[in-house]
Amino acid sequence: MPKGATGMKQIILGTAGHIDHGKTALIKALTGIDTDRLKEEKERGITIELGFAHLQLPSGQVLGIVDVPGHEKFVKNMVAGATGIDLVAMIIAADEGVMPQTREHLEICELLKVKRGLVVLTKIDMVDEEWLELVREDVREFLSGTFLEDAPVVEVSSLTGQGLEELLGVLDELVKEIPERETGNFFRLPIDRVFTMKGFGTVITGTTISGEINTGDEVTIYPEGFSTRVRGIQVHNREVSHSRAGLRTAINLQGVEKRQIQRGDVLASEDSLKPTYMVDVVLELLPSAPRMLKNRAKVRFHTGTSEIISTVILLDRDELKPGDRCYSQIRLEQPTVVLAHDRYVLRSYSPVRTIGGGEILNALPQKKKRFSEKVLAELKVLDSGDLGRITEQYIASGRYKGVKRSILPFLTNASKKSLEKILNDLAAQKKITLFDKESGLFLHADFLGKARDEITKILAEYHRDFPLKGGLLKEELRSRLKWSDNQKLFNYLVNQLVEENVIVQEREILRLKGHRVTLARDQEKVRSKIEEIYLKGGLQPPYFREVKEKLGGSDADELLQVMVKDGILVKVKEDLYFHRNVIEGLRKKLIEFLRQNGEIDTPEFKSMTNASRKYTIPLLEYFDHSQVTVRVGDKRILRKK
């Protein structure tokens, strides 16, 4: 592995500036690499020198260089975002000074939040000192108030070599100030080139903007979502087994054809991203934008290496003035994959020029309603950068379905370690609950509380409407809930409410803990009549359908259930009931007989009850089922306790 490939800080230097201001010539003078040699590069195989080079500084630090020869390529290469470029070299030719593209490129750098850079005045061999002083003054005025205001300015001639040593020294010093790049949570590489190499197959190139990749890794190409495997990796034109964020990388892919991939696609960790046709953003319109941006304006949306025609939905206004910012939803004509905190650039549809950009807030949103206080409040939370509030809000957005733990790293773009701490804290504060451990589903406390309340409310209403019924069937209760399709949440809450003694479960019947069947005066009279009928009936009572016909009224079935639940009547078989006193008397007589005689047959039991066979057989089977007797052949014996 070459020095600087992965052993030192990974630094990408991007060049910017007006066409023909000497960017390519400067890189060739510094590195010996002609980044315009397209034909030669193709002949050499897996290289990444088209628009890209690498430079070893005096300290040994290796810089990856993104050379952008023209405006169109500048935008498409630079918009890999702040994570793609660490340092920008703003190239200004001494013979022309600040030009329109110089200004536009600086605006793009600021939109992408590139934080560090330097200015290189080229072609100083073509001007005299007096002119050079005018250009210096022009440059100082141009940089005032920008991130390059205090940046070093180095004057060079790529033709004579004047100033190149000083430039290398300045770059070395600047690199020391750049902190170690955070690797990021997912491997992502926006693809800027794809070609086929004889004997190897399909090769893609790009800047690895986050994560790490190894030979043999399974990866996914987005937004299409098809899988492939890493066959080989090159960094700085040398074979390596590993690459990471901050490196220009060429990857040989296995089992995929060139025609399946295009510039603007993203190579990423397997199944890590989610394609979307819309993104929620903070939108900043440049002060230099030629006009106000109207709601539903057509624009060109740039992120990574892609350009997608899109519609801007302004969420809190009808027009955005130059220099202002607002929350917006960008609706795309083609899908893309992004993460929260990615930077993007907007260019006008026609004529094409950079007009604004900003930060991605939500990489997988639903359609947003305009002028909604709730929507704007949610976006403000996402814009706050507070991981705890952001995570809690995403879980709340899952409503009664909940949100899977596995999607939260994608939604928040936070490290697993940071996210795990946040989830533990939120759970400890009872703001979220892991209600389905198997699927890793979290529910927000607001919806947990509403779901609990809905269960108890339905039971209370049922008890009010059907006071004679002991409770509601479990499945019938679930079918009445707004979130009836969430079986696991229902089971979780029923178990929780039972444990807390809020509800009582008796087999498949649920009731509130405090529910008691209360009878009206006329119902009490009917209940007494039913009890009297069964007491008089003794061991030969009428079937219940006969009792109903005799009594009339609509409460008989409910009263029967109440009497069975209260233990006044005993169900022996369908439609056949006995008074508990009658059953208890027979049970004692049967036990006494078996203790004296050891066994009893059906005729003997019939003689004991003095009842017909239609009663004695069900009664014998009842005592078997209630574990008083055991059948042995045609006889019964006392069951041993």
Side-chain angles (χ1 to χ4, degrees), residues 4 8-14 53 55 57 61-65 84-87 171 174-181 236 245-248:
M8 302 182 73
K9 284 194 292 189
Q10 315 309 320
I11 307 293
I12 297 290
L13 170 70
L55 169 66
L57 297 173
Q61 173 70 52
V62 176
L63 291 182
I65 300 177
I85 291 174
D86 304 285
L87 190 65
L171 286 171
L174 284 172
V175 164
K176 291 175 186 175
E177 298 171 9
I178 296 174
E180 185 68 42
R181 176 190 292 266
H236 298 327
L247 292 173
R248 283 296 306 171

Side-chain angles (χ1 to χ4, degrees), residues 326-597:
C326 71
Y327 296 129
S328 303
Q329 185 166 80
I330 312 289
R331 295 180 185 165
L332 314 167
E333 292 188 0
Q334 297 171 350
T336 190
V337 283
V338 291
L339 289 176
H341 314 307
D342 281 357
R343 305 296 300 182
Y344 71 94
V345 167
L346 286 189
R347 301 168 79 208
S348 52
Y349 183 71
S350 180
V352 180
R353 83 175 302 277
T354 302
I355 57 171
E359 182 182 355
I360 306 290
L361 295 180
N362 189 339
L364 195 67
Q366 300 294 316
K367 272 193 175 181
K368 293 289 190 294
K369 185 179 178 182
R370 299 181 68 219
F371 301 106
S372 161
E373 288 186 14
K374 182 174 181 290
V375 164
L376 295 172
E378 288 173 353
L379 290 172
K380 194 171 182 180
V381 169
L382 297 182
D383 193 18
S384 71
D386 184 326
L387 183 58
R389 291 174 65 205
I390 290 169
T391 304
E392 183 183 351
Q393 182 168 284
Y394 273 124
I395 292 172
S397 71
R399 298 180 61 80
Y400 296 105
K401 288 185 178 179
V403 170
K404 282 190 176 183
R405 183 196 299 267
S406 58
I407 200 175
L408 287 170
F410 164 77
L411 292 174
T412 62
N413 193 14
S415 69
K416 288 184 180 178
K417 185 177 179 182
S418 301
L419 199 54
E420 203 58 38
K421 183 182 184 306
I422 290 294
L423 291 172
N424 289 338
D425 289 347
L426 290 172
Q429 295 165 34
K430 299 192 183 308
K431 291 182 176 180
I432 62 170
T433 297
L434 183 66
F435 73 90
D436 180 358
K437 290 183 180 179
E438 185 181 350
S439 300
L441 274 165
F442 286 100
L443 194 76
H444 191 271
D446 288 352
F447 292 96
L448 188 77
K450 288 176 183 176
R452 283 170 56 101
D453 291 346
E454 193 180 357
I455 288 174
T456 55
K457 182 183 177 185
I458 288 172
L459 284 174
E461 289 173 349
Y462 187 82
H463 293 332
R464 182 196 66 205
D465 296 340
F466 303 98
L468 298 183
K469 290 186 179 291
L472 187 58
L473 276 169
K474 190 175 178 180
E475 277 306 299
E476 188 180 345
L477 170 60
R478 186 172 73 85
S479 70
R480 296 186 183 194
L481 298 165
K482 294 175 186 174
W483 40 276
S484 59
D485 58 336
N486 196 335
Q487 178 80 54
K488 289 193 173 181
L489 176 59
F490 177 68
N491 291 340
Y492 174 85
L493 286 176
V494 166
N495 291 337
Q496 188 181 69
L497 289 165
V498 168
E499 285 176 15
E500 293 173 8
N501 220 15
V502 174
I503 64 176
V504 175
Q505 179 169 357
E506 294 166 339
R507 295 186 179 177
E508 292 304 305
I509 300 290
L510 297 174
R511 64 176 172 84
L512 290 176
K513 172 69 175 173
H515 174 63
R516 294 286 182 274
V517 174
T518 53
L519 304 180
R521 188 172 298 175
D522 56 339
Q523 291 169 334
E524 279 286 359
K525 288 180 181 178
V526 175
R527 189 200 69 79
S528 296
K529 285 181 182 178
I530 293 172
E531 185 174 4
E532 185 181 347
I533 289 169
Y534 279 100
L535 272 171
K536 284 183 179 179
L539 289 169
Q540 297 190 86
Y543 282 92
F544 186 68
R545 61 179 177 272
E546 297 167 4
V547 176
K548 278 174 66 177
E549 287 171 7
K550 184 176 181 181
L551 293 174
S554 59
D555 290 340
D557 287 318
E558 286 82 359
L559 288 168
L560 173 69
Q561 289 179 29
V562 172
M563 294 175 77
V564 170
K565 184 175 180 298
D566 290 346
I568 295 169
L569 296 183
V570 177
K571 183 177 181 180
V572 169
K573 78 168 193 176
E574 196 62 40
D575 209 41
L576 182 59
Y577 297 85
F578 292 81
H579 195 281
R580 65 183 171 192
N581 294 349
V582 174
I583 287 288
E584 182 59 22
L586 180 58
R587 187 182 71 84
K588 289 178 179 177
K589 191 184 288 189
L590 176 61
I591 291 172
E592 183 62 28
F593 181 90
L594 290 171
R595 281 177 178 161
Q596 291 179 9
N597 301 284

